[in-house]
């Protein structure tokens, strides 16, 4: 793991979605290790059980549920109680790389539901507490697909551009109320995300690009380092950015 900062989140309550695996799990572990109270949510119960087992001494609450469902969001906010200092919207799904000519309505709607609508609803649910407190930080996990058109299918690319725009909207409207919102754009990361190739045409377009310019995959804790920095007071002058953490991919 990258070096942690002792006590950086002491006294803070932080909600993390997608906390059962990959980037969300690494973020939850780091936040707990830096003294935070973590409300960890994921749709896979066994993953949250494993997280709890791995962090026996952490101040950790888990909420099992699909974050695209309103009831899960209500349960998360209820579990947090009367303060939520930070929110990390990490949960996300891919789209079988279907290009605009092949994307079906169900894929488009499911990807937008998880990658855009759910973070919007959770953000909307936590903002009243943050505004009342006069402070709060939000980090949305975007993707290299928020920066270019060659890394995923039409639905995923559009959803990640949308979450980047939503991040800037939060920063613009609620910055004066003490809220900071930023996004991290990971390149390739070694996680459990399902990324089957569902289109021969997409494979023919994306394959050569990926081979030519994509750096080696990162580890989830490298992303957790960027996410926790943006959630913390260490980034107090940063609001509304989309920060690539991609080994230099976005410079190509
Ligand atoms: P992951 O699959 O390892 O972890 C994501 C977690 O989110 C899983 O535990 C999954 O159960 C959970 N989840 C998925 N849908 C959910 C839902 N509807 N409700 C609640 N929980 C749900 O994947 P990861 O790679 O850690 O992905 C985290 C984020 O990083 C995603 O937003 C993804 O788009 C983004 N990302 C990943 C990569 C990569 O290469 N891994 C690259 C760029 C962006």
């Amino acid at each position: 793991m990258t070096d942690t900062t002792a006590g950086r989140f002491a006294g803070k309550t932080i909600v993390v979605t997608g906390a059962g695996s990959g980037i969300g799990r690494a973020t939850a572990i780091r936040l707990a290790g830096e003294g935070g109270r973590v409300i960890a949510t994921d749709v896979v119960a066994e993953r949250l059980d494993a997280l709890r087992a791995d962090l026996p001494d952490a101040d950790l609450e888990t909420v099992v549920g699909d974050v695209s469902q309103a009831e899960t969001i209500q349960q998360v906010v209820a579990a947090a109680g009367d303060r939520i200092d930070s929110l990390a919207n990490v949960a996300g799904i891919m789209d079988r790389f279907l290009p605009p000519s092949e994307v079906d309505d169900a894929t488009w709607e499911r990807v937008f539901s998880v990658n855009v609508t759910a973070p919007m609803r959770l953000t909307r649910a936590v903002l009243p507490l943050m505004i009342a407190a006069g402070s709060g930080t939000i980090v949305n996990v975007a993707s290299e697909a928020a920066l270019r058109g060659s890394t995923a299918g039409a639905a995923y690319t559009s959803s990640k551009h949308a979450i980047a725009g939503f991040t800037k909207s939060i920063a613009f409207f609620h910055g004066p109320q003490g809220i900071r919102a930023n996004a991290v754009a990971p390149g390739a990361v070694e996680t459990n995300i399902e990324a089957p190739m569902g289109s021969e045409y997409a494979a023919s377009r994306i394959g050569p690009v990926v081979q030519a310019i994509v750096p080696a995959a990162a580890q989830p804790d490298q992303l957790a380092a960027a996410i926790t920095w943006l959630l913390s007071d260490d980034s107090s002058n940063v609001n509304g950015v989309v920060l690539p953490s991609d080994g230099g991919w976005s410079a190509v």
Side-chain angles (χ1 to χ4, degrees):
M1 187 192 276
T2 49
D3 283 347
T4 56
T5 306
R8 189 163 57 156
F9 290 94
K12 309 276 192 192
T13 296
I14 310 104
V15 171
V16 182
T17 76
S21 175
I23 297 167
R25 177 183 162 87
T27 300
I29 290 171
R30 180 156 185 156
L31 290 166
E34 296 188 2
R37 173 174 177 252
V38 178
I39 315 299
T41 185
D42 201 287
V43 73
V44 182
E46 299 76 31
R47 290 178 171 177
L48 291 177
D49 292 344
L51 179 68
R52 187 186 288 283
D54 286 350
L55 299 175
D57 301 325
D59 192 350
L60 176 75
E61 293 198 43
T62 57
V63 177
V64 180
D66 181 339
V67 77
S68 72
Q69 299 299 307
E71 63 190 12
T72 305
I73 289 176
Q74 286 166 6
Q75 288 167 5
V76 167
V77 173
D82 58 2
R83 72 176 294 165
I84 298 177
D85 300 280
S86 298
L87 165 64
N89 282 309
V90 187
I93 56 171
M94 285 204 66
D95 65 352
R96 292 181 293 129
F97 298 91
L98 300 176
S101 57
E102 297 176 36
V103 65
D104 57 276
D105 284 355
T107 299
W108 181 273
E109 283 160 17
R110 182 64 186 151
V111 168
F112 265 75
S113 166
V114 176
N115 293 6
V116 185
T117 308
M120 179 280 290
R121 287 185 179 151
L122 197 43
T123 298
R124 191 175 59 190
V126 306
L127 275 173
L129 278 175
M130 291 181 174
I131 291 168
S135 66
T137 56
I138 297 169
V139 173
N140 295 318
V141 174
S143 167
E144 199 72 21
L147 310 174
R148 56 179 82 237
S150 58
T151 78
Y156 187 86
T157 295
S158 302
S159 76
K160 292 302 187 180
H161 277 71
I163 198 65
F166 182 60
T167 303
K168 292 176 188 177
S169 181
I170 305 166
F172 169 71
F173 281 108
H174 299 296
Q177 295 167 305
I179 316 297
R180 293 189 301 110
N182 294 288
V184 169
V189 189
E190 283 185 25
T191 70
N192 294 311
I193 199 161
E194 292 178 20
M197 175 58 76
S199 162
E200 279 183 32
Y201 182 66
S204 76
R205 287 288 296 147
I206 293 174
V209 177
V210 167
Q211 279 186 339
I213 68 168
V214 179
Q219 294 302 310
D221 65 303
Q222 293 179 281
L223 276 300
I227 293 167
T228 53
W229 178 69
L230 287 170
L231 290 173
S232 78
D233 291 343
D234 288 344
S235 59
S236 59
N237 197 38
V238 181
N239 203 5
V241 307
V242 179
L243 174 69
S245 172
D246 62 0
W249 184 353
S250 53
V252 178

